[in-house]
Amino acid sequence: MVMTKKRKEILEIIEKSNKPLTAEEIYKVNKLKPNFSTIYRTLNFLESKNLIKSVSFENGPKYFYSTNKHYHFLYCIKCGNIEIFDKCTATQLEEFVEEKFDFQIIDHVFYFKGLCKNCQEG
Ligand SMILES: [Zn+2]
Ligand SMILES: [Zn+2]
């Protein structure tokens, strides 16, 4: 795999971030200032190599994060805001699924959808 300067820069931005980032956010902090389609192509490449993963909610943008991180999400259906938490209690459920369906689980994406604090008021 060829890790060009552009790929490395984008991977570093994602790995250093403490939250998932959209392509637009990555674009804003990218010092090499590639064009937008380069960012998208690079993100697709990194994801195909399993160096990053992504998640999207409803019709919202994709959020990219490091394969080394494990996040769960709270997605607000009203304002589209996302919050993350890393407390994972899926082990029991995974064991159940693996046994019941003879399915080998490698990862899971988990999110709650609802209303954030701001959107509950008023
Ligand atoms: Zn909200
Ligand atoms: Zn989990």
Side-chain angles (χ1 to χ4, degrees):
M1 172 184 32
V2 188
M3 266 318 238
T4 61
K5 224 176 150 191
K6 279 178 198 158
R7 285 174 183 166
K8 236 178 135 178
E9 165 83 6
I10 290 177
L11 184 60
E12 268 174 32
I13 290 170
I14 293 170
E15 281 182 342
K16 280 182 194 153
S17 175
N18 55 6
K19 65 180 178 75
L21 299 169
T22 61
E24 208 164 314
E25 289 169 325
I26 293 163
Y27 178 74
K28 275 186 201 145
V29 295
N30 198 304
K31 287 187 218 83
L32 299 174
K33 292 285 160 236
N35 60 42
F36 217 68
S37 63
T38 306
I39 299 250
Y40 270 112
R41 239 179 306 123
T42 307
L43 288 168
N44 283 337
F45 172 82
L46 293 172
E47 192 168 13
S48 74
K49 299 293 175 198
N50 254 320
L51 294 165
I52 59 170
K53 47 188 177 178
S54 70
V55 62
S56 62
F57 311 96
E58 319 265 306
N59 297 318
K62 265 188 173 183
Y63 289 85
F64 297 90
Y65 55 110
S66 167
T67 323
N68 306 323
K69 301 225 169 92
H70 189 77
Y71 290 133
H72 291 192
F73 303 88
L74 305 177
Y75 170 74
C76 177
I77 54 165
K78 206 163 169 192
C79 68
N81 188 47
I82 64 158
E83 282 195 67
I84 48 167
F85 63 99
D86 59 7
K87 182 178 167 62
C88 184
T89 54
T91 321
Q92 238 189 328
L93 187 59
E94 287 192 349
E95 278 168 11
F96 165 78
V97 170
E98 286 192 329
E99 199 157 307
K100 169 132 181 149
F101 297 95
D102 193 14
F103 185 86
Q104 192 190 353
I105 295 171
I106 47 171
D107 196 12
H108 61 256
V109 177
F110 181 91
Y111 73 90
F112 286 113
K113 80 193 219 187
L115 294 171
C116 75
K117 202 174 175 210
N118 287 338
C119 293
Q120 289 169 41
E121 294 157 6

